[in-house]
Amino acid sequence: MSEADSPLEPFKRAMTATMRALAEDEELDVSFGPGAPSARGNRMRVPLPNVGCSDAEVNAVRGIGDQFALRLRHHDDGLHARYIPNGGPAQEMFEWIEEARIASIGSLRMEGVAQNLDARLEVQCQQAAFDTITAETEAPLSVAVGLFVREALTG
């Protein structure tokens, strides 16, 4: 079976079109492959879901694409660089709050994007093993603040 005949080709085409629309960039270069997702300028690489995986897994992959595209459209690197704290927990908190701000823009405008971003956040929290935290001292403050901001912005 050629790559063009792959059952994932319609998914890739739809996801690329969605990311380009969200980013408002028809020249957005989207590729798919294994490993960690990445975004540099208007070049983005996202993973592919496994054939036959759950809807939650598909939505989490879509959430990665939505997150990257929304960041490209709604993030200002110059403004960000001017106000970001220099290192440590303050910088981490600043980044989480910026991600919450960007996610809220997409979530409040599009229900499907909200579902995808929520699925992506769920996977991030599972990978960080936040469900195993038993004491306040184990909880990363920057993440907690970012999640509270996201909840406040999106309801």
Side-chain angles (χ1 to χ4, degrees):
M1 173 182 350
S2 73
E3 188 174 309
D5 296 330
S6 166
L8 292 173
E9 281 307 306
F11 175 85
K12 290 163 69 172
R13 284 192 303 273
M15 190 157 164
T16 298
T18 300
M19 290 174 67
R20 287 176 175 165
L22 286 174
E24 291 187 346
D25 183 351
E26 285 301 315
E27 302 301 314
L28 183 63
D29 181 13
V30 180
S31 62
F32 299 86
S38 63
R40 295 194 200 305
N42 77 335
R43 296 182 57 132
M44 300 179 182
R45 192 177 63 70
V46 295
L48 277 172
N50 295 317
V51 175
C53 70
S54 70
D55 287 346
E57 290 172 288
V58 170
N59 290 343
V61 171
R62 286 180 179 145
I64 294 168
D66 292 353
Q67 183 179 21
F68 283 168
L70 289 167
R71 185 172 181 91
L72 182 64
R73 181 172 172 189
H74 296 292
H75 178 77
D76 182 320
D77 286 331
L79 189 63
H80 190 78
R82 185 169 15 157
Y83 291 107
I84 191 167
N86 291 327
Q91 182 179 2
E92 291 175 25
M93 192 176 302
F94 189 85
E95 294 292 351
W96 273 91
I97 291 170
E98 173 65 351
E99 287 302 317
R101 182 190 71 81
I102 292 166
S104 72
I105 292 169
S107 293
L108 293 173
R109 292 181 181 169
M110 295 162 275
E111 185 178 330
V113 169
Q115 291 170 352
N116 296 342
L117 293 174
D118 286 348
R120 169 66 178 144
L121 182 60
E122 180 70 27
V123 168
Q124 283 179 293
C125 291
Q126 288 172 353
Q127 288 173 343
F130 291 154
D131 59 337
T132 64
I133 293 174
T134 58
E136 282 184 37
T137 56
E138 297 174 350
L141 181 61
S142 57
V143 175
V145 169
L147 294 175
F148 280 128
V149 169
R150 183 170 169 172
E151 183 179 12
L153 292 174
T154 63

